Amino acid sequence: MEFYRLGLCLLLCSQQLFADSFWSHIPGKGSVQLTELSAEQHQSLAQHLQLDAEQTTEWLNELPTLLETISCSTVDIQGQPLPAYIDASYQLVSYAGALKFRTDDKTKQTIWWLPWTLLPTLSQLKTQLTDLNSHLHQPLLIAEQELGIKGQLIIVSGSSISQPAYFALKLDSLANLELLWSLSASAPGFTDLAGAVGQPLLIEQQKGSPGLSLLLANTAAKDPKTLIYKVDMMTGLLQAKLAAEQNISGVSGAMALSDQNRDSVSDSLVFGSTAGQIWQVQLEHNQFYQLRAVADLSALNFSDIQFIRTLYAAVPVGGAGSDFHSRRSQWLVLLGALRQQNTVFVVLKAQSEDVSSSSDLVDRTLPESPELALLTSQHWQHIQQKSGWFSQLSGRLTHIPVVAAGVIYLNLLKPNTEQLCNIEQSSSALMALHLHHASAVYRQPSLPLDHAAGALKVKANTQGGFALIEQHRQQVLIETMLEISPDCTHCSKTIQRDSFPRWQLMGTYHNEEGAYE
Amino acid sequence: MMMSSKGFILITTLILMLILSCISLSMLVQTQLSQKLAGSATLSFQLKQHTQSKHLQELKQLKQSTAESDTFVIAPCPANYAAWSDWISSCEWYQVRTTERQAHHHHTVTSVLVRQSLPEGGRDGIL
């Protein structure tokens, strides 16, 4: 009887092992499937894990269960679909560097890529993932159109805090995953790399530097010598470093590039600390310069920053009534930060001289009853004269908000802490806020959703306007989208499809030369 | 005596005739010049109007055409009150130049336009 039980157990274990495939990269030996190791590879793994051969086999047998536990430890699991030329049925999710290629297609297997440096500490990963006060960033996918190489995809990801490393994978099919490069503290120029939980940022073609580059944040908690590394995308070779000057530490993994001089080349980087200090630095020709503080929002008690984005907009500056039409074109910094596991959304005007603090922002959190959500003229004037607004949202942002026609659409999720991985058990909502004063634009300020929404898309509807859809299920969330209008503070109108493409005359110049005889 | 007075009258008449012809000639030149001057303003105005109408026609054609012109660059969208995230809306900057010539005179009108469109299936905003 015991023998049968053991046989059944072995059968089940092996079934699980064969159902998924697990890849890693043994330094000097190349990519290996952990379930099909040769004796020599098995020995290398045993040495790396500091286990004997038997314990290593046991570790390998327990790997599927361990990874299953890891997949159920976090809410930040927004999968990115792989491009169609690889396999569009797969989605990529990163669990602090452990990459999972998952699919709903039962005939296809789940593929895991585990960084070699992460293997010894894999069992400790769960503790890091269950910390809902920090945000888990997802990898960067660089597709063939950006690479200029047909059929190729490059995935760049950061790995856990205990063994910090950034790595890049190159693939032309899911059966052919290859490590392109891996950067840890042992790599030349990266000795002070102490945290790699950031989202890598791609810099497209810059003046004076051919090829693509990446920005990698050193998310070390204490006194890092380097804040940000600029590396070559294909080789991982160091191109530039942003040295810490002003006692900056605890850089969050969220960064955003913008084109301040509007010449189609990104030249400015905005980044922040997990506590909410925001900085801006200029970037040109492999050089960082003019590092300056933009805002200090540490009084808002953030535990991490989920994302930072910039937006160029015409912001009202005139006040109320007849002055309403005065506007100034300027850069806005949009950021989502975690506070007690909920999101605080901030719209900040990037002032060139002053460092904004939280007291310069107007609290525009929507009250429970929508009729109380009044925008007083005092608040409105304060928003226009000072640095912007913030709104506390009930739930956690799952995707970068979409700003469409001056309305910010936010995807929120209230995770069920008992069942973190089962996103269907969590309640979700979609919120739509006015870009300039955070009032509700639609009659209902928050739209409860049956399923947690994935990435949002704007799509033409049958009524000659635009609808907001959830991309994964193709579910219509808002049938007719509205556009804010500059005619008055709360004015809005339906976006008409026939108004696109929109032409705007920026200027006309006359030139006369020559003479009559 | 009679002979010398006759000579004097002849010379005076000749001098007077010379002065008169000088005056009339310069008046003729002046008239011609002012005519030219007056004409040039009209011609210049006509040229301007012609260039302008041709330019407006070219702008109209550009706005109506669905085919992409080869004289545009993709660049950040200008600031809008109802702003859009850069991954769902894209902007192309066009430059339309119209030049008309008349004799040695030419007039150029240059317009810079932005075409904002919403391409289907833009990039994702991943956290």
Side-chain angles (χ1 to χ4, degrees), chain A residues 92-99 113-115 117-118 125 128-129 136-140 155-169 181-183 193 195-201 214-217 219 253:
Chain A
L92 172 68
V93 186
S94 167
Y95 299 93
L99 304 184
W113 171 275
L114 307 166
T117 48
L118 194 66
L125 203 60
Q128 189 188 326
L129 296 174
L136 213 59
H137 292 276
Q138 290 300 313
L140 170 74
I155 299 166
V156 189
S157 175
S159 178
S160 84
I161 298 170
S162 51
Q163 294 287 326
Y166 280 104
F167 63 94
L169 295 182
W181 47 259
S182 175
L183 301 170
L193 177 67
V197 288
Q199 198 199 7
L201 207 60
L214 293 168
L215 291 176
L216 309 171
T219 56

Side-chain angles (χ1 to χ4, degrees), chain A residues 138 262 264 314 329 398 400-401 403 405-406 436 457 501-504 506-514 516-517, chain B residues 36 44 48 52 74 76-77 79-81 83-85 87 102 104-108 110-112 114 116 122 127:
Chain A
Q138 290 300 313
R262 309 178 51 70
S264 303
S329 299
T398 57
I400 301 255
V403 183
H436 300 294
K457 284 272 145 116
R502 284 179 180 169
W503 287 92
Q504 200 175 338
M506 303 307 288
T508 300
Y509 313 96
H510 292 261
N511 184 34
E512 227 177 324
E513 272 176 43
Y516 288 98
E517 283 179 8
Chain B
K36 271 203 170 178
S44 168
K48 267 186 195 171
Q52 192 80 28
I74 295 169
C77 290
N80 263 319
Y81 178 77
W84 292 78
S85 292
W87 70 86
Q102 202 171 58
H104 295 284
H105 192 86
H106 59 259
H107 181 229
T108 310
T110 313
S111 286
V112 179
V114 175
Q116 189 191 14
L127 275 176

Side-chain angles (χ1 to χ4, degrees), chain B residues 1-107:
Chain B
M1 190 67 191
M2 193 69 181
M3 281 298 281
S4 63
S5 68
K6 270 183 182 175
F8 177 73
I9 290 167
L10 187 68
I11 287 165
T12 316
T13 315
L14 280 172
I15 290 170
L16 273 171
M17 275 175 76
L18 189 74
I19 292 168
L20 276 172
S21 58
C22 277
I23 291 170
S24 56
L25 205 70
S26 65
M27 276 177 80
L28 275 171
V29 171
Q30 199 188 7
T31 317
Q32 207 184 5
L33 270 177
S34 29
Q35 251 181 352
K36 271 203 170 178
L37 210 64
S40 72
T42 319
L43 284 172
S44 168
F45 179 71
Q46 279 173 344
L47 183 68
K48 267 186 195 171
Q49 227 174 9
H50 190 233
T51 324
Q52 192 80 28
S53 67
K54 201 178 164 194
H55 186 71
L56 288 174
Q57 215 172 348
E58 280 178 17
L59 289 184
K60 206 175 159 189
Q61 273 174 359
L62 177 74
K63 286 178 186 176
Q64 281 170 350
S65 69
T66 45
E68 284 182 350
S69 154
D70 54 350
T71 52
F72 74 90
V73 279
I74 295 169
C77 290
N80 263 319
Y81 178 77
W84 292 78
S85 292
D86 56 1
W87 70 86
I88 47 170
S89 135
S90 71
C91 282
E92 292 145 19
W93 290 64
Y94 289 81
Q95 193 179 342
V96 179
R97 184 189 290 255
T98 315
T99 307
E100 283 294 288
R101 284 168 196 281
Q102 202 171 58
H104 295 284
H105 192 86
H106 59 259
H107 181 229

